[in-house]
Amino acid sequence: MRWEQLRAGKGEPVLPGLGAFGEAVRSVRAPEFGGITFHEVRARSVLNRVPGESAVPFRWSVNPYRGCSHACTYCLEGSTPVLLADGRAKPIAELRTGDRILGTRGHGIARRLVPTEVLAQWSTVREAYRITLEDGTRLVAGADHRFLSARGWKYVTGSRLGTAQRPHLEPGMELVGAGRFVRTPDDTLGYRAGYLCGMLRSGGFAAEPDAAARALAYLPDFGSSAGFMRIPREPDAHWARGFLAGLFDLAGGYRRGALTLAHDETEVVEALFAALDRFSFSYETVGHRGHPGRRQARLGGGAGEVLRFLHLTDPAVAWKRSLEGTVIGSVRRRVAAVEPMGLSLPLFDITTGTGDFVADGVVSHNCFARHTHTYLDFDAGHDFDTQVVVKVNAPEVLAAQLKHPSWRREPVAMGTNTDPYQRAEGRYRLMPGIIRALARSGTPLSILTKGTMLSRDLPLLSDVGKDVPVRLAVSLALLDRDLQRRLEPGTPSPQARLDLLRKAAAAGLPCSVMVAPVLPYLTDSAEALDALFAELAEAGVTSATVLPLHLRPGAREWFASWLGRTHPALVPRYRRLYTRGSYVDRGYRELLATRAGPLLRRHGLAPRTANDHREPEPPPPRTETTQLRLL
């Protein structure tokens, strides 16, 4: 295996968050692992006390890895502009955690723009697709990204039949948004002259500090000349944009969905109308009761034209730019084509407080971040799969901790947070030393894994089992290989895990199975459970524990995206089952127990069901990151 060292030595900067574990040694990348980076640290402690509020049958755990190459994982091209809270736009690649942007609130397509915050931002490399709209807009996104259409959320790609069946974009489909983004004007001398003319001929410096600050920055360009106060006979586009911005800052406004500009000088009013005509704005003109000579232009076209005006002119006054509360459901743009680009590109995504954002004028669903990595200062999504922390000195540190006089040899569980037999264990070989340290101290141990690499250590476990209690458990919830690939890509197949169970039985090691997670309405039928239990009994399994799906924060968001993509009709039923939080409704637990109990007894497996045990997994560390409510 070829490993590329990225950082090494005490003189190099420590990667974000790794100091939480101890001294960072180096970061290495293996080409065979498809982009996964392993951050090696020398840990201060590896024996972890489980929080008291966790309903699990053990108090101590050991996790030599953080993050998981077994983990299962949406995205836009980095230059895609995202609508900010101040009405401007910024490329998604330049957004950072804490930035204020605009999301939406509402039901279906009846939505209003509301300020929200970027909670996380990250990038990945994905096969890219080009979405072309009839107005010429082009978006580049990954296949799993979703946009809001007039008929609900749609993925970029999908199929009407087969395993890829899911709602997806098609030519002619209408997308909902805030209107097409246009380029912000260049800061030319012409633009500056137009801005000063429109702003100073509408009231000067007294009214708006933001406008005054911009004007003071522009004035030195013109020296002692006041020629900018005159309206050119044939103004160019740069001047016209600046003029509209200056006029809006001092004599315009946006309220209740209407953008207006007004003035009482005939020359200025004529220049206003000419500038609006130049950029093809639709508007109506009205007089003012209190000012007979005053004329006002009111833009038509709704939110899309308001957004175009703000981007085209770039006014300075922040409060006048606010689009908060703007209704956008009526702004529709048709899809012309969705085409594969034939290459993979770096793509970006964000998590927001509203669960969505506006990308190049289209409402876009954000990625569902898993938060188990955020307390390390890694991002909440892609990093969980690709940034794995390895406690390279875990066996030595554990052995020292177990020698402490206060240690009472309580059972220690492994595999309760991240899998100790994930693929990286093939290189680091941490588990043999950990097993020996526990056995030498007289500490009972248990291992839960999906990884078939456990077979390497079966002889060692059989040997230490003569001195301390050893409990093995393999997680296996279904036999359907296609469904398993979609749910757990990167993990061994059901058949490979059944082979592991047979090897454990042949080694004389009692091994149980965690039939978890059982997915309501998908893998919980009597027929599916009966077939699985028959295979487990044939493999020599001593007992099985049936556990329904547990949706803790992080896993909840990921599973919600998968369910909405593959089985959207089940989403309302899951909302009802998980309305109280992470654990499924009690009525469903009792139903599953009633169904599974007789089947377990029929196959000679211990009749332990979800009524007897809860999922043996502690909650993730607390973070300050806001959790998204998706189910």
Side-chain angles (χ1 to χ4, degrees), residues 439-606:
R440 288 167 183 164
S441 69
T443 300
L445 63 111
S446 64
I447 299 172
L448 171 63
T449 184
K450 296 177 183 177
T452 53
M453 196 172 297
L454 173 65
S455 61
R456 180 200 66 192
D457 292 342
L458 289 177
L460 173 61
L461 289 164
S462 178
D463 185 48
V464 303
K466 300 171 185 177
D467 301 318
V468 296
V470 174
R471 295 173 53 199
L472 301 182
V474 172
S475 175
L476 179 56
L478 71 167
L479 297 175
D480 186 329
R481 177 59 171 148
D482 179 65
L483 181 57
Q484 184 266 339
R485 282 195 190 100
R486 286 184 283 149
L487 275 170
E488 302 173 339
T491 63
S493 68
Q495 189 58 51
R497 281 181 258 182
L498 287 169
D499 291 341
L500 171 62
L501 292 168
R502 295 186 184 96
K503 292 177 182 178
L509 289 164
C511 189
S512 63
V513 166
M514 303 289 288
V515 181
V518 174
L519 306 182
Y521 315 120
L522 288 173
T523 63
D524 62 347
S525 68
E527 293 77 12
L529 293 173
D530 187 47
L532 175 59
F533 295 164
E535 292 281 358
L536 297 182
E538 187 276 330
V541 171
T542 56
S543 65
T545 301
V546 179
L547 298 170
L549 178 66
H550 171 74
L551 291 175
R552 68 181 184 180
R556 184 185 188 94
E557 286 80 10
W558 176 87
F559 185 80
S561 69
W562 180 88
L563 187 70
R565 180 172 71 249
T566 58
H567 300 282
L570 291 180
V571 170
R573 303 177 77 176
Y574 270 75
R575 286 199 184 104
R576 290 192 292 271
L577 287 180
Y578 292 90
T579 187
R580 294 182 178 273
S582 299
Y583 289 98
V584 71
D585 175 77
R586 180 175 180 179
Y588 178 84
R589 295 200 303 268
E590 293 174 349
L591 173 66
L592 182 60
T594 301
R595 181 180 299 166
L599 299 175
L600 288 166
R601 290 191 290 272
R602 177 191 303 174
H603 295 288
L605 303 173

Side-chain angles (χ1 to χ4, degrees), residues 56-136:
V56 294
F58 53 85
R59 295 177 57 198
W60 298 92
S61 68
V62 169
N63 294 290
Y65 303 97
R66 287 288 186 178
C68 187
S69 54
H70 279 171
C72 322
T73 180
Y74 320 96
C75 303
L76 292 168
E77 186 182 31
S79 62
T80 304
V82 173
L83 190 58
L84 303 179
D86 65 1
R88 294 185 171 91
K90 179 186 285 189
I92 191 170
E94 297 178 14
L95 291 175
R96 296 294 180 265
T97 300
D99 283 353
R100 299 283 290 170
I101 65 171
L102 286 172
T104 70
R105 292 288 188 200
H107 300 283
I109 60 172
R111 293 176 178 267
R112 293 179 180 271
L113 294 174
V114 296
T116 187
E117 186 174 312
V118 176
L119 304 178
Q121 187 258 26
W122 59 92
S123 66
T124 185
V125 177
R126 289 283 183 271
E127 183 180 358
Y129 291 79
R130 181 186 294 111
I131 303 98
T132 304
L133 307 186
E134 288 184 349
D135 64 4

Side-chain angles (χ1 to χ4, degrees), residues 55-345:
V56 294
F58 53 85
R59 295 177 57 198
W60 298 92
S61 68
V62 169
N63 294 290
Y65 303 97
R66 287 288 186 178
C68 187
S69 54
H70 279 171
C72 322
T73 180
Y74 320 96
C75 303
L76 292 168
E77 186 182 31
S79 62
T80 304
V82 173
L83 190 58
L84 303 179
D86 65 1
R88 294 185 171 91
K90 179 186 285 189
I92 191 170
E94 297 178 14
L95 291 175
R96 296 294 180 265
T97 300
D99 283 353
R100 299 283 290 170
I101 65 171
L102 286 172
T104 70
R105 292 288 188 200
H107 300 283
I109 60 172
R111 293 176 178 267
R112 293 179 180 271
L113 294 174
V114 296
T116 187
E117 186 174 312
V118 176
L119 304 178
Q121 187 258 26
W122 59 92
S123 66
T124 185
V125 177
R126 289 283 183 271
E127 183 180 358
Y129 291 79
R130 181 186 294 111
I131 303 98
T132 304
L133 307 186
E134 288 184 349
D135 64 4
T137 300
R138 290 187 174 184
L139 294 153
V140 175
D144 293 328
H145 203 81
R146 283 194 288 173
F147 297 98
L148 182 62
S149 79
R151 292 182 284 174
W153 292 104
K154 304 293 182 181
Y155 289 87
V156 171
T157 67
S159 172
R160 294 185 178 183
L161 301 170
T163 58
Q165 182 180 8
R166 62 183 184 181
H168 60 280
L169 298 180
E170 295 179 327
M173 189 171 287
E174 292 183 325
L175 298 186
V176 176
R180 183 181 184 182
F181 290 0
V182 297
R183 181 181 172 183
T184 301
D186 295 327
D187 188 14
T188 64
L189 192 63
Y191 176 86
R192 293 187 170 207
Y195 183 85
L196 289 172
C197 181
M199 178 258 193
L200 293 176
R201 293 187 66 164
S202 299
F205 286 85
E208 295 293 345
D210 290 345
R214 179 180 285 189
L216 289 172
Y218 288 177
L219 282 171
D221 291 338
F222 302 93
S224 59
S225 172
F228 53 78
M229 294 291 287
R230 294 191 297 269
I231 296 175
R233 182 172 298 177
E234 295 182 359
D236 62 15
H238 295 283
W239 186 94
R241 290 186 180 198
F243 177 73
L244 288 174
L247 197 63
F248 178 77
D249 276 346
L250 269 291
Y254 175 62
R255 185 180 181 187
R256 296 179 181 177
L259 189 147
T260 59
L261 301 101
H263 212 278
D264 51 13
E265 286 188 49
T266 300
E267 184 185 26
V268 174
V269 170
E270 290 177 352
L272 162 63
F273 294 162
L276 292 175
D277 291 338
R278 181 180 201 127
F279 299 115
S280 301
F281 284 108
S282 173
Y283 61 95
E284 60 179 6
T285 64
V286 295
H288 195 286
R289 292 180 181 178
H291 301 274
R294 193 173 184 85
R295 300 291 292 173
Q296 177 177 276
R298 183 190 304 234
L299 259 62
E305 285 295 85
V306 171
L307 184 65
R308 185 166 76 92
F309 178 90
L310 295 178
H311 286 179
L312 189 75
T313 65
D314 191 31
V317 179
W319 70 269
K320 291 188 176 186
R321 300 179 62 103
S322 175
L323 294 171
E324 182 175 358
T326 299
V327 178
I328 63 170
S330 62
V331 181
R332 311 285 180 84
R333 297 148 76 197
R334 292 184 181 275
V335 175
V338 179
E339 306 163 294
M341 297 182 67
L343 72 165
S344 295
L345 293 175

